């Protein structure tokens, strides 16, 4: 099975996060959670094993970067960026934590499949 390079898989997760942020209007809800978790799942499932360390912890970092980027595009100062990023990330924390957890489960399943596949000969 062919796998994506790390940056391509990270881009998959980033697109899902951006669409989730846009659809939920910056207020993380059910749509946000489903899309962020789906993006994390797809990214972890499609990335090469070497890229797991970048893809699995990515959801909170991607979301914080997205919120900061949107605020920066609106002309906010550096001090305002710090204040503006924290509340949305805290509100989205349950969804982001589930995204990381799902990524870890995918990695465990892929490792388990590899390990069991190598054991049965």
């Amino acid at each position: 099975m062919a796998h994506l390079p790390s940056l391509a898989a990270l881009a998959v997760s980033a697109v899902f996060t951006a669409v989730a942020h846009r659809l939920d209007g910056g207020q993380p809800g059910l749509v946000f959670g489903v899309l962020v978790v789906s993006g994390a799942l797809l990214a972890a499932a499609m990335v090469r094993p070497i890229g797991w360390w970048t893809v699995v912890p990515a959801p909170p970092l991607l979301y914080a970067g997205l919120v900061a980027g949107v605020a920066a595009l609106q002309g906010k100062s550096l001090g305002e960026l710090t204040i503006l990023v924290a509340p949305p990330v805290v509100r989205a924390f349950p969804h982001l934590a589930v995204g990381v957890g799902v990524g870890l489960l995918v990695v465990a399943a892929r490792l388990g499949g590899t390990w069991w596949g190598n054991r049965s000969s």
Side-chain angles (χ1 to χ4, degrees):
M1 177 175 169
H3 297 294
L4 291 177
S6 300
L7 287 178
L10 198 58
V12 168
S13 188
V15 167
F16 273 76
T17 302
V19 170
H21 178 72
R22 178 72 175 154
L23 289 178
D24 264 359
Q27 298 297 324
L30 181 63
V31 171
F32 178 87
V34 168
L35 287 173
V36 166
V37 170
S38 297
L41 182 130
L42 285 173
M46 295 187 321
V47 74
R48 295 178 185 150
I50 192 78
W52 286 333
W53 69 273
T54 57
V55 171
V56 171
L61 300 171
L62 289 172
Y63 188 61
L66 175 70
V67 171
V70 169
L73 288 174
Q74 294 172 346
K76 305 297 182 188
S77 70
L78 186 59
E80 290 174 306
L81 289 180
T82 307
I83 295 168
L84 291 173
V85 169
V89 172
V90 169
R91 282 192 302 270
F93 177 77
H95 305 298
L96 300 172
V98 170
V100 172
V102 165
L104 288 172
L105 288 174
V106 170
V107 168
R110 286 181 63 187
L111 281 173
T114 302
W115 188 77
W116 286 108
N118 289 340
R119 297 273 296 169
S120 60
S121 34

